[in-house]
């Protein structure tokens, strides 16, 4: 056990000993020992499938461990399910929120334990207490508003407020920042700090290295269901953390690809969509990687969707190789050689119940005389799996069962089969683990060097700074600047994206 | 620490392969089992009935079962497509009545030959399906609502047209479709077999079939993959309408008249056949074979109940319980599935 300063002062609130959980064929969590101290932010890091989420579910008593013991303040706990865990002061905010969108904030906060008098809900009391709770997480909104009308960040804070209202002493946050903007993350971190100051222990699952270093007091790295190391933040470097997570050294996460931009392939002129996009013009060259930076909601995805026919446009022109395209639906864009790798592969990318092969060929089904050529489909899929290193025991396996990184590669494979010449990648690294990320960026580089034009949308600046030849910055539906490689700087991009101070770029 | 690190690395590829294979197997096996659960139930009930009743296993009785369930099964072929898209068609019973009666009137009032009349009746069904499809894709009504409306409209129309009385006077040759035999095999059985094979090929071997699954599994992903979701959805509802219309003609032929009140509640039998056969109302899942098994399972239970003198009310209870069991099984399968993905 590594010793830290916290450990010597206090006794742990939670102590996990030899926790093991097996699923058919997999040991998801293997003999895990973990101590959580009051007032610390304890990050649990690891690749997808490392067992982080399962471990948290065991702590929250959603999953029953096959072996091992959990101690709360030194007392062994028996297993009774999440209600019991919550009653003991362990709360969890899931990645997918568990709020009822058609109920108000206050109704959600007190769902299942409404303050009653003679069987009637005491609405005024409910509202007052809701206001108090919201204030605690620094959320200034009317508790009578419907949850459906809140932003993702606000919903998350409501979830946290609900957790606090159970007098949580241990708060589990499962990848809380996946969909938040920088400012929202900063606000979340403030709330977390307030909670730890009050002695709450925060368990924080995350993929994002920058965050881990920002918020963690201690970091536990898991791999293949085991705890590889628990270290105080001060003893960790980014290199070391990645190495612990992956089990091997990754020298460069975002290898700067060898690109040789050729002639302009795609040109977009004054594209507008009412309320969302205003006169957006840009061009991408063959073999070039053009990045799009901006805050969430700045219109980057909307622009990509509009160009690729997923959303209608009000005005604007699109040229490929100097020829004007008339795109009214995705099929038109695909036929012209455009492809859009969506941000949310589960909601917009994959048919999860269909096989890997069927997903790969979805946009380019081989058929003759109306009948599908199933054998050709199979060889196409096998070739794609090999080429993109998609790890699946069988090409007929349902897409649902693949890891995030492999799912993402399946979506990319689909577009390569359409012979796309311009590929839009919308947050291609979201929710996939470090190893798969490196592979994905290497692939994007390779696609560019083959002469394809790449548009890369990312909210994580280091990705853009390393990968791109040029970066366009969007704000409120406008392209507010385009930087070429020599002009790249994180500050400049953030300034443009936030409109903080007007930097004029020649 | 160092040692365990290096051990991990060498373990990794093998471990992953083993792990994913194991994870794959239960899903595939349970896929098979879900098909065979209904099939198994069908076989068990058949065996039990042939022991309990000497009449059950006679050719006459078996053909009787097939003839009685042919209409339901034919329409259920279309319902399989509809349900796989995560849709539903409540109008099939009414549409079958409307199409059947109009087809009969083509013979009685216009003197058309029966094959042309059957074609006409089928097309009437197709038109109703087209209306359903357009209401769903253009007016953006939920399939439940669009077809609930059609159910009422079609039933109303058929009663207006006939004054709610049966239409008689069909040519004798029309009986062939629902009551005829070829080499001792009932024509409805042959028709059903041909249509089922065609539907199976359509579902498993053509774009329409593949896109049916894709739309039901993830409509937005299908759209972004360049699939014209609206057009394919309309096609699926037209197909359902055509089959309902044709089924209506077969039904009218069996009674050699146009019955405006035919098919009241038929939609529920049709949906039940598909669901018992493994179609998921959430879309993306289902097969023609499964639906056929579902249809025959219900038919055999009804037949057995008659042979064993079980009254129709008890039959109804048994069918209901079977629907529950089929869907409980389906959900159990899903949950295992969800767990194995972690």
């Amino acid at each position: 056990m590594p010793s830290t300063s916290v450990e010597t002062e206090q006794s742990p609130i939670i102590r996990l000993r030899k926790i093991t959980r097996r699923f058919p064929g997999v040991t998801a969590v293997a003999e895990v020992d973990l101590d959580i101290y009051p007032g610390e932010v304890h990050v649990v890091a690891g690749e997808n499938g490392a067992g982080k989420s399962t471990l948290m579910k065991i702590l929250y008593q959603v999953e029953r461990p096959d072996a091992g013991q959990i101690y709360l303040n030194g007392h062994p706990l028996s297993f009774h399910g999440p209600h019991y865990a919550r009653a003991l002061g362990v709360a969890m905010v899931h990645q997918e929120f568990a709020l009822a969108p058609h109920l108000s904030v206050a109704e959600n906060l007190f769902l299942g334990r409404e303050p009653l008098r003679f069987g009637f809900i005491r609405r005024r009391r409910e509202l007052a207490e809701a206001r108090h709770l919201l204030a605690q997480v620094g959320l200034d909104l009317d508790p009578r508003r419907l949850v459906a009308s809140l932003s993702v960040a606000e919903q998350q804070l409501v979830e946290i407020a609900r957790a606090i209202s159970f007098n949580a002493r241990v708060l589990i946050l499962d990848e809380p920042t996946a969909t938040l903007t920088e400012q929202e993350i900063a606000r979340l971190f403030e709330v977390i700090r307030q909670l730890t100051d009050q002695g709450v222990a925060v368990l924080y699952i995350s993929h994002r290295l920058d965050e881990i270093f920002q918020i963690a007091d201690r970091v536990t790295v898991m791999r293949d269901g085991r705890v590889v190391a628990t270290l105080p933040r001060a003893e960790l470097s980014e290199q070391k953390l990645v190495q612990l997570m992956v089990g091997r050294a990754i020298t460069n996460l975002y290898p700067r690809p060898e690109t040789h931009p050729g002639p302009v392939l795609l040109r977009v002129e004054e594209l507008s969509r009412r309320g969302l996009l205003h006169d957006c013009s840009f061009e991408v060259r063959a073999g070039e990687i053009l990045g799009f930076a901006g805050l969430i909601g700045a219109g980057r995805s909307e622009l990509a969707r509009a160009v690729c026919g997923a959303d209608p446009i009000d005005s604007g022109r699109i040229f490929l190789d100097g020829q004007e395209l008339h795109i009214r639906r995705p099929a038109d864009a695909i036929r012209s050689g455009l492809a859009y790798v969506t941000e949310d592969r589960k909601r917009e990318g994959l048919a999860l119940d269909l096989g890997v092969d069927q997903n790969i060929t979805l946009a380019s089904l081989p058929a003759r005389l109306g009948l599908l050529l199933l054998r050709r489909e199979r060889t196409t899929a096998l070739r794609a799996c090999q080429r993109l290193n998609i790890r699946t025991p069988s090409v007929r396996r349902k897409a649902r069962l693949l890891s995030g990184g492999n799912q993402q590669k399946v979506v990319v494979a689909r577009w390569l089969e359409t012979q796309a010449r311009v590929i839009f990648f919308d947050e291609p690294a979201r929710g996939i683990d470090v190893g798969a990320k490196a592979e994905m960026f290497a692939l994007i580089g390779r696609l560019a060097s083959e002469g394809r034009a790449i548009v890369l949308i990312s909210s994580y600046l280091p990705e853009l700074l390393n990968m791109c030849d040029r970066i366009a910055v969007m704000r409120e539906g406008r392209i507010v600047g385009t930087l070429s490689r020599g002009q790249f700087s994180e500050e400049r991009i953030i300034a443009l994206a936030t409109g903080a101070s007007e930097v004029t770029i020649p | 620490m160092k040692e365990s690190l290096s051990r991990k690395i060498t373990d990794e590829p093998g471990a992953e392969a083993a792990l994913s294979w194991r994870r794959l197997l239960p899903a595939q096996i349970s896929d098979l089992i879900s098909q065979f659960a209904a099939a198994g139930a069908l076989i068990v009930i058949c065996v039990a009935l042939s022991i309990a009743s000497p009449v059950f296993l006679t050719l006459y009785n078996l053909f009787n079962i097939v003839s009685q369930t042919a209409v339901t099964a034919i329409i259920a072929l279309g319902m399989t497509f509809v349900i796989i898209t995560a849709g539903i068609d409540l109008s099939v019973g009414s549409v079958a009545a409307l199409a059947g009666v109009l087809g009969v009137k083509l013979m009685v009032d216009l003197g058309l030959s029966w094959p042309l009349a059957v074609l006409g009746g089928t097309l009437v069904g197709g038109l109703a399906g087209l209306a359903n499809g357009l209401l769903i894709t253009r007016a953006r009504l939920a399939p439940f609502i669009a077809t609930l409306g059609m159910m009422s409209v079609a039933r109303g129309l058929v009663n207006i047209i006939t004054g709610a009385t049966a239409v008689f006077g069909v040519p004798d040759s029309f009986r062939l479709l629902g009551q005829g035999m070829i080499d001792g095999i009932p024509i409805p059985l042959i028709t059903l077999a041909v249509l089922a094979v065609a539907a199976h090929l359509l579902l498993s071997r053509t774009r329409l079939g593949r896109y049916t699954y894709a739309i039901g599994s993830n409509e937005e992903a299908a759209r972004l993959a360049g699939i014209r979701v609206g057009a394919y959805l309309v096609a699926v509802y037209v197909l359902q309408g055509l089959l309902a219309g044709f089924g209506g003609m077969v039904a009218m032929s069996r009674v050699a008249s146009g019955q405006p009140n035919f098919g009241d509640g038929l939609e529920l039998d049709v949906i039940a056949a598909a669901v018992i056969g493994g179609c998921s109302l959430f879309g993306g899942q289902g097969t023609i074979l499964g639906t056929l098994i579902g249809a025959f399972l219900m038919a055999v239970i009804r037949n057995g109940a008659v042979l064993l003198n079980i009254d129709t009310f008890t039959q109804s209870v048994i069918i209901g319980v079977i629907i529950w069991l089929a869907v409980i099984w389906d959900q159990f399968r899903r949950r295992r599935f969800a767990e194995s993905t972690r």
Side-chain angles (χ1 to χ4, degrees):
Chain A
M1 274 283 111
S3 71
T4 68
S5 57
V6 210
E7 203 167 346
T8 48
E9 289 163 17
Q10 291 169 305
S11 56
I13 177 162
I14 295 275
R15 202 181 267 272
L16 304 180
R17 283 296 172 265
K18 303 253 175 239
I19 297 287
T20 300
R21 174 73 170 114
R22 295 181 201 91
F23 291 113
V26 206
T27 304
V29 174
E31 303 196 344
V32 164
D33 290 346
L34 192 61
D35 291 339
I36 315 291
Y37 292 88
E40 74 167 337
V41 177
H42 196 125
V43 169
V44 180
E47 296 198 274
N48 282 338
K52 313 177 297 261
S53 291
T54 308
L55 185 65
M56 293 307 114
K57 283 183 186 165
I58 288 171
L59 185 53
Y60 191 51
Q61 302 210 348
V62 178
E63 297 275 0
R64 184 192 288 272
D66 295 313
Q69 184 63 54
I70 303 175
Y71 299 90
L72 178 71
N73 286 327
H75 304 291
L77 292 187
S78 48
F79 184 91
H80 296 291
H83 283 95
Y84 184 66
R86 213 158 51 180
L88 293 173
V90 179
M92 180 158 176
V93 176
H94 295 268
Q95 237 170 321
E96 292 95 23
F97 305 133
L99 296 172
H102 298 106
L103 299 185
S104 74
V105 171
E107 284 161 346
N108 266 288
L109 284 172
F110 294 99
L111 202 60
R113 53 195 176 108
E114 293 77 3
L116 293 180
R117 184 158 53 195
F118 310 124
F120 290 96
I121 295 174
R122 304 175 61 178
R123 297 188 43 127
R124 217 167 322 149
R125 166 122 178 250
E126 194 177 65
L127 283 176
E129 285 185 20
R131 281 200 189 90
H132 178 68
L133 281 171
L134 292 178
Q136 276 189 312
V137 295
L139 199 53
D140 179 29
L141 58 80
D142 186 343
R144 283 171 297 195
R145 267 177 66 185
L146 294 187
V147 161
S149 72
L150 305 185
S151 73
V152 176
E154 288 169 333
Q155 291 187 29
Q156 188 170 48
L157 288 171
V158 170
E159 280 266 18
I160 294 174
R162 179 154 82 170
I164 296 171
S165 72
F166 287 101
N167 292 318
R169 286 176 290 168
V170 179
L171 180 62
I172 305 168
L173 299 171
D174 192 354
E175 295 204 34
T177 57
T179 47
L180 301 191
T181 63
E182 298 287 335
Q183 292 126 308
E184 289 165 342
I185 292 172
R187 181 156 155 211
L188 174 69
F189 283 0
E190 258 174 56
V191 172
I192 289 177
R193 276 299 159 212
Q194 280 167 21
L195 291 174
T196 52
D197 287 347
Q198 294 161 24
V200 175
V202 174
L203 268 164
Y204 189 104
I205 300 184
S206 182
H207 269 130
R208 294 179 55 171
L209 301 179
D210 54 334
E211 262 174 45
I212 294 177
F213 285 97
Q214 226 177 318
I215 191 77
D217 294 316
R218 290 197 303 151
V219 180
T220 290
V221 182
M222 289 187 73
R223 178 152 42 86
D224 298 331
R226 289 174 192 280
V227 169
V228 185
T230 298
L231 295 168
R233 177 183 47 187
E235 292 176 27
L236 273 175
S237 67
E238 193 158 315
Q239 280 286 332
K240 186 169 181 188
L241 184 56
V242 170
Q243 189 173 347
L244 285 169
M245 282 161 66
V246 184
R248 62 193 147 89
I250 289 186
T251 42
N252 192 350
L253 258 184
Y254 322 101
R256 164 77 193 135
E258 283 273 319
T259 54
H260 304 284
V264 171
L265 200 51
L266 176 76
R267 193 167 85 242
V268 173
E269 285 182 2
E270 315 226 303
L271 196 89
S272 292
R273 186 168 179 224
R274 191 138 38 92
L276 292 170
L277 299 170
H278 311 285
D279 298 327
C280 294
S281 302
F282 67 93
E283 53 184 40
V284 208
R285 295 170 178 276
E288 184 188 37
I289 303 179
L290 171 67
F292 268 89
L295 303 177
I296 288 171
R300 295 169 300 162
S301 299
E302 287 76 3
L303 180 56
R305 289 178 63 93
V307 173
C308 296
D311 293 331
I313 59 173
D314 294 324
S315 63
R317 303 167 78 186
I318 301 167
F319 298 87
L320 187 75
D321 262 345
Q323 297 264 318
E324 181 160 9
L325 303 179
H326 298 281
I327 295 173
R328 278 197 306 275
R329 55 176 69 88
D332 301 335
I334 292 164
R335 217 172 302 118
S336 310
L338 307 186
Y340 175 44
V341 178
T342 51
E343 178 178 5
D344 186 337
R345 59 184 166 270
K346 285 192 178 163
R347 258 191 35 226
E348 305 166 332
L350 291 167
L352 291 168
D353 291 325
L354 266 54
V356 169
D357 49 354
Q358 301 185 344
N359 270 291
I360 289 174
T361 57
L362 196 60
S364 59
L365 265 182
R368 190 167 49 205
L369 301 173
L371 284 185
L372 299 181
L373 301 173
L374 295 181
R375 205 167 304 152
R376 185 181 300 173
E377 172 174 51
R378 194 180 155 75
T379 52
T380 301
L382 283 170
R383 202 178 48 226
C385 285
Q386 209 160 32
R387 178 163 171 218
L388 300 192
N389 193 20
I390 298 171
R391 281 180 292 267
T392 172
S394 148
V395 287
R396 310 194 57 164
R397 189 172 207 201
K398 294 194 178 188
R400 185 187 299 281
L401 296 172
L402 262 51
S403 71
N406 284 311
Q407 286 181 339
Q408 186 72 298
K409 285 190 253 176
V410 168
V411 179
V412 175
R414 175 191 303 160
W415 296 118
L416 297 186
E417 289 306 323
T418 66
Q419 312 297 328
R421 298 168 66 200
V422 183
I423 308 182
F424 289 74
F425 285 91
D426 198 347
E427 304 282 359
R430 169 163 296 166
I432 66 180
D433 55 45
V434 181
K437 235 176 241 186
E439 255 183 287
M440 182 56 62
F441 286 121
L443 172 65
I444 291 172
R446 212 162 69 226
L447 294 176
S449 63
E450 287 169 13
R452 291 183 167 89
I454 305 287
V455 176
L456 176 61
I457 300 173
S458 172
S459 293
Y460 190 48
L461 284 181
E463 285 173 14
L464 292 178
L465 295 172
N466 278 292
M467 293 291 298
C468 298
D469 297 297
R470 289 181 302 135
I471 297 177
V473 186
M474 288 190 74
R475 182 174 76 233
E476 291 167 4
R478 288 189 170 77
I479 296 178
V480 289
T482 305
L483 310 178
S484 55
R485 210 161 164 83
Q487 304 167 309
F488 283 4
S489 88
E490 220 161 303
E491 294 73 22
R492 198 173 283 169
I493 291 172
I494 290 172
L496 280 169
T498 57
S501 59
E502 290 297 328
V503 187
T504 38
I505 309 294
Chain B
M1 176 60 81
K2 247 283 172 49
E3 190 196 28
S4 81
L5 254 179
S6 61
R7 191 162 49 83
K8 274 286 103 54
I9 296 165
T10 49
D11 273 0
E12 221 171 50
E16 208 214 282
L19 155 170
S20 15
W21 271 113
R22 289 266 196 82
R23 261 200 263 162
L24 177 69
L25 276 179
Q28 280 199 339
I29 287 172
S30 75
D31 252 10
L32 283 175
I33 293 172
S34 76
Q35 284 276 321
F36 286 107
L42 185 59
I43 291 164
V44 168
I45 290 172
C46 284
V47 170
L49 282 176
S50 49
I51 295 167
S53 161
V55 185
F56 179 77
L57 215 55
T58 58
L59 209 55
Y60 172 79
N61 186 53
L62 291 182
F63 281 166
N64 194 19
I65 294 174
V66 174
S67 302
Q68 277 172 358
T69 200
V71 172
T72 309
I74 286 169
I75 301 176
L77 297 177
M79 194 63 80
T80 310
F81 284 78
V82 169
I83 292 183
I84 291 172
T85 67
I88 194 91
D89 189 344
L90 299 176
S91 69
V92 288
S94 303
V95 167
L98 178 64
V101 165
L102 284 177
V104 165
K105 281 181 93 65
L106 286 179
M107 288 179 279
V108 175
D109 294 352
L110 299 182
L112 250 59
S113 69
W114 73 265
L116 280 179
V118 169
L119 183 65
T122 306
L123 289 178
V124 168
L127 276 179
L130 179 65
N132 279 333
L134 292 176
L135 284 167
I136 290 163
T137 56
R138 292 295 162 88
R140 305 211 164 270
L141 295 184
F144 188 98
I145 304 297
T147 60
L148 183 69
M150 179 58 72
M151 175 167 124
S152 188
V153 167
R155 183 65 67 191
L157 284 178
V158 71
N159 281 319
I160 291 169
I161 290 166
T162 60
T165 54
V167 181
F168 294 102
V170 294
D172 250 9
S173 54
F174 177 54
R175 289 170 185 268
L176 209 60
L177 183 65
Q179 304 176 30
M181 298 260 197
I182 294 177
D183 289 340
I185 302 169
I187 287 179
L189 172 58
I190 296 169
T191 317
L192 172 61
V194 170
L195 287 176
V197 169
H200 174 74
L201 287 178
L202 196 58
L203 190 55
S204 61
R205 302 298 292 271
T206 68
R207 287 213 163 108
L208 173 64
R210 178 64 61 77
Y211 293 166
T212 299
Y213 283 107
I215 291 167
S217 179
N218 191 338
E219 189 173 324
E220 180 65 4
R223 191 175 77 90
L224 292 177
I227 296 170
R228 297 186 59 176
V229 171
Y232 279 97
L233 277 179
V234 169
V236 164
Y237 282 90
V238 167
L239 176 68
Q240 170 71 93
L242 291 170
L243 286 166
F246 182 75
M249 290 309 295
V250 175
M252 299 308 161
S253 166
R254 284 174 57 74
V255 292
S257 57
Q259 298 289 344
N261 57 354
F262 167 77
D264 196 15
L266 179 66
E267 61 281 348
L268 298 182
D269 267 11
V270 169
I271 292 166
V275 168
I276 291 172
C279 288
S280 162
L281 291 178
F282 299 110
Q285 291 190 340
T287 57
I288 293 296
L289 181 64
T291 298
L292 287 178
I293 291 169
F296 279 107
L297 186 61
M298 286 198 299
V300 166
I301 288 170
R302 291 219 168 100
N303 177 265
V306 172
L307 296 181
L308 301 178
N309 278 324
I310 298 171
D311 64 285
T312 52
F313 305 132
T314 313
Q315 285 176 35
S316 180
V317 171
I318 294 172
I319 299 279
V321 170
I322 293 215
I323 292 173
W324 283 339
L325 292 177
V327 177
I328 287 170
W329 170 255
D330 192 50
Q331 287 179 348
F332 166 73
R333 204 162 55 89
R334 264 163 206 290
R335 224 171 298 135
R336 285 195 52 160
F337 214 43
E339 193 169 90
S340 66
T341 61
R342 273 188 299 160

